[in-house]
Every structure is written in C-alpha cells, then in structure tokens.
Amino acid sequence: MYKKVRLKDTVEVPPEHLPDRTEPEVPPALIKRLLQDKLEGRMDEEVGSVVTVTEVQDVGDGAVVPNRPSVYYEAEFDAITFDPEMQEVVDGEVVEVVNFGAFVGIGPVDGLLHVSQISDEYLAYDGENQQLASRDSNRVLSVGDAVRTRIVTKSIDERNPRDSKIGLTAKQVGLGKHGWLEEERKRRAAGGD
C-alpha cells in the first residue's frame, strides 16, 4: 500500500528563486519544497497518491522556455506513495456513515463500504446517531469504528483525485468491524463454531 519510489519530474523554478552568481546551483532544499508543493496529494494511475517527497537525488541542468520567466529543471527524487492494490486487505476507520454504507479512511483516501458489503444481515440507517444497525444481532457500525476490509474496485481519477473511487467489502471470513472479529474469535475459542 505505502511504497518508497524513485521518480522523475520537471520542476518550475520562478525567477525570484533562481540562484545568483554566488550560488552556482539551485539548492536541493528548494527543489524538494517545489516538488512537494506540486506533487503531494496528486493521484497517478501508475504510482498512486504521492504522500510526500523525501529526498532529492539529482537535479539536471535548467532549461529556459521562450516567453516564460521561470527555469525548468529535471529532478530525480524519492517519494512515499500510497497505492491501494486490488484484493489487498486493509485496516481503516469509519469516517462517515450514510444510508447506503460507510466511508472508511484507508491512508490518505476514503473507500466506500457499501451497505450490501458489510454483512449478510439487513442494516438499518440511523442518521441521528451516524450508524448502521442490525435488528437481528444488535451489531452496530458507527463513525470511529475500526474495520478490516478488502479492496474490490479501484477507479483513479488523476485530474480530480477527490473523484477517485475505491470499493471495499467486509463480507468475507476474517473481515469486518474489529469488535465483531474479536467476538467471533472468542466464540470459536469457547467451542461454539
């Protein structure tokens, strides 16, 4: 899910940040800050979401573009990315409950745990208490609950990262609200298969 990767990108250095004659090179700290401003939070189909730029490895020679005051540098750098994989099991926290399911925070993004993917039981929406509740077993899923889910769909929107969609399921064995999983373990340990 989280990865350290080596990436390359072009960095625009505005004229006010260009070195003078006493400094022969653009400082790597400046390149790092400009890369962070440009890339952090951006989604990319290949690498996922850039969480942070950690270290600049190499800065190439600058290039000037006609009618533009900035200088453009090719930079190679290390970054931490978040790239959810299909079928990956992830732990998260319920951040919002709506009538059609729960949004689960998994790293820097939220995934949708549709009501049909939470349990085989019918879950009623309680908007006043921000929860989904079962009448059969008295189980409740609320904001703040820790859950273990599996990623079943992934649609990344590079232009509008907030429009990216990650679908989750908790209906398989070993998945669900952590409290429910603990109850199940205790029941099995007591011989109640």
Side-chain angles (χ1 to χ4, degrees), residues 1-5 7 38-53 77 79-85 106-110 154 156-158 161-162 164 166:
M1 182 179 305
Y2 287 97
K3 299 176 185 172
K4 181 179 179 183
V5 295
L7 302 171
K38 178 182 178 182
L39 299 176
E40 287 180 2
R42 187 179 86 176
M43 290 286 249
D44 180 277
E45 187 68 45
E46 290 180 29
V47 299
S49 176
V50 177
V51 177
T52 190
V53 174
F77 56 95
I80 302 297
T81 62
F82 173 82
D83 188 18
E85 308 250 341
I106 52 170
V109 298
D110 295 343
K154 176 176 133 176
I156 303 298
D157 187 333
E158 294 178 16
R162 292 209 170 273
S164 296
I166 296 175

Side-chain angles (χ1 to χ4, degrees), residues 7-159:
L7 302 171
K8 287 185 180 182
D9 204 342
T10 302
V11 181
E12 177 182 359
V13 178
E16 61 271 16
H17 295 297
L18 293 172
D20 58 24
R21 291 186 188 137
T22 60
E23 300 175 51
E25 298 177 0
V26 174
L30 171 65
I31 297 294
K32 179 180 177 182
R33 185 174 55 78
L34 292 170
L35 283 166
Q36 288 171 328
D37 291 346
K38 178 182 178 182
L39 299 176
E40 287 180 2
R42 187 179 86 176
M43 290 286 249
D44 180 277
E45 187 68 45
E46 290 180 29
V47 299
S49 176
V50 177
V51 177
T52 190
V53 174
T54 57
E55 188 176 352
V56 174
Q57 297 297 329
D58 186 43
V59 179
D61 295 331
V64 177
V65 176
N67 299 320
R68 295 262 177 100
S70 300
V71 178
Y72 298 84
Y73 293 87
E74 231 2 82
E76 186 174 345
F77 56 95
D78 293 332
I80 302 297
T81 62
F82 173 82
D83 188 18
E85 308 250 341
M86 289 294 292
Q87 303 306 317
E88 181 176 8
V89 174
V90 293
D91 284 319
E93 181 179 311
V94 175
V95 295
E96 182 180 7
V97 176
V98 292
N99 63 341
F100 55 86
F103 287 96
V104 178
I106 52 170
V109 298
D110 295 343
L112 173 62
L113 182 57
H114 191 270
V115 69
S116 67
Q117 295 298 310
I118 297 171
S119 170
D120 287 330
E121 300 176 52
Y122 173 75
L123 297 173
Y125 174 62
D126 176 357
E128 187 176 317
N129 296 310
Q130 277 275 299
Q131 62 187 17
L132 293 165
S134 166
R135 290 191 183 109
D136 299 333
S137 66
N138 293 324
R139 288 183 167 182
V140 175
L141 185 67
S142 305
V143 171
D145 286 345
V147 293
R148 178 165 293 144
T149 61
R150 180 181 305 277
I151 296 171
V152 291
T153 61
K154 176 176 133 176
S155 174
I156 303 298
D157 187 333
E158 294 178 16
R159 292 178 192 252

